[in-house]
């Protein structure tokens, strides 16, 4: 997709409003907002995925809204569209897929909170899973490049995110990752001895899942 125009941004703001209602306390209003989002997903999957991605990208959106958008999109990626045997990821056009992939990779670099980076990491894994299950391109090389970059970062948030993404990818592309076994062992040695307890624990979990 091309960069969003003014009309499309207005629709993104409508989606933000629906997400805000979902976070609210009014159960009836929440059900209505969830139904609005479902109609967009079933009727216009490209808009659904790209607009949720745009919410995550929006510097003016609150962290709670971005986190919810990440969760909603993650859950939608591999779920079926009503009246269709295709999953959301299968239903997306190539342009929409490229919009989602490129902008998520770009946006995660600017995340500064653990909660949001974890939710985005899980979303990236789900996109990679959709590619693995439904496309000939089984390996999302740009994601692997990001993960190897993050795991060698001085930013603890990025290191933690890299380990979380590795954890998820082991379920999909373990055979491919085995080609980098020595690199992985080096990463595990480094992160198991990290100064951060959170990163040591994340590394231990990654090692357990890998083995």
């Amino acid at each position: 997709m091309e960069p969003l125009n003014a009309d499309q941004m207005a629709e993104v703001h409508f989606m933000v409003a629906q997400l805000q209602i979902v976070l609210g306390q009014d159960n009836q209003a929440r059900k209505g907002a969830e139904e609005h989002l479902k109609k967009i997903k079933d009727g216009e999957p490209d808009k659904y995925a790209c607009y949720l991605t745009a919410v995550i990208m929006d510097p003016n959106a609150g962290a709670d809204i971005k986190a919810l958008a990440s969760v909603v999109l993650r859950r939608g990626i591999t779920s079926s569209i009503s009246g269709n045997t295709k999953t959301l990821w299968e239903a997306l056009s190539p342009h929409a897929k490229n919009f989602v992939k490129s902008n998520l990779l770009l946006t995660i670099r600017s995340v500064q909170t653990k909660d949001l980076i974890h939710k985005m990491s899980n979303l990236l894994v789900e996109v990679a899973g959709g590619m693995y299950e439904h496309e000939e391109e089984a390996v999302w090389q740009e994601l692997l490049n990001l993960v190897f970059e993050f795991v060698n970062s001085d930013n603890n948030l990025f290191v933690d995110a890299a380990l979380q993404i590795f954890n998820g990818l082991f379920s999909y592309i373990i055979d491919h990752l085995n080609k980098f076994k020595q690199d992985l062992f080096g990463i595990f040695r480094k992160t198991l001895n990290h100064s951060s307890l959170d990163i040591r624990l994340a590394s231990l979990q990654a090692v357990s899942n890998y083995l």
Side-chain angles (χ1 to χ4, degrees), residues 19-161:
L19 293 170
Q20 288 173 329
I21 294 172
V22 171
L23 287 174
Q25 300 299 316
D26 187 326
N27 288 335
Q28 196 65 33
R30 185 187 305 122
K31 289 179 182 178
E34 289 171 345
E35 187 60 32
H36 276 304
L37 293 173
K38 185 177 184 300
K39 285 180 180 179
I40 299 171
K41 175 190 169 188
D42 292 341
E44 299 179 283
D46 277 9
K47 282 188 176 183
Y48 182 82
C50 292
Y51 288 0
L52 284 171
T53 300
V55 172
I56 298 168
M57 295 162 54
D58 186 357
N60 297 316
D64 55 344
I65 294 296
K66 292 183 179 184
L68 179 58
S70 298
V71 171
V72 170
L73 183 53
R74 174 181 63 79
R75 290 175 177 171
I77 287 292
T78 53
S79 65
S80 297
I81 292 176
S82 296
N84 198 320
T85 58
K86 290 184 177 181
T87 64
L88 174 64
W89 187 255
E90 290 178 281
L92 295 183
S93 69
H95 290 301
K97 289 178 179 178
N98 286 334
F99 182 92
V100 171
K101 288 161 56 180
S102 61
N103 283 296
L104 289 179
L105 288 179
L106 182 64
T107 302
I108 196 171
R109 294 177 177 276
S110 62
V111 176
Q112 299 178 5
T113 63
K114 186 172 182 177
D115 179 65
L116 181 55
I117 205 166
H118 272 200
K119 287 182 169 60
M120 285 197 68
S121 296
N122 290 334
L123 171 55
L124 288 168
V125 168
E126 205 69 17
V127 171
M131 293 172 61
Y132 175 78
E133 293 176 347
H134 303 298
E135 297 180 18
E136 292 182 2
E137 182 187 5
V139 177
W140 185 5
Q141 188 59 49
E142 292 82 3
L143 177 60
L144 286 181
N145 294 344
L146 178 85
V147 171
F148 280 109
E149 176 189 334
F150 271 19
V151 82
N152 290 303
S153 171
D154 293 328
N155 185 330
N156 286 358
L157 274 180
F158 288 171
V159 178
D160 192 31

Side-chain angles (χ1 to χ4, degrees), residues 7 13 18 22 50 61 124 142 159 164 166 172 183 210:
D7 290 339
H13 293 153
Q18 300 310 302
V22 171
C50 292
L124 288 168
E142 292 82 3
V159 178
Q164 185 172 352
F166 269 135
Y172 294 111
D183 291 326
Y210 178 69

Side-chain angles (χ1 to χ4, degrees), residues 139 173-184 210:
V139 177
I173 58 169
I174 187 64
D175 290 340
H176 180 77
L177 290 173
N178 276 333
K179 298 176 184 178
F180 307 95
K181 185 176 293 185
Q182 295 307 313
D183 291 326
L184 288 174
Y210 178 69

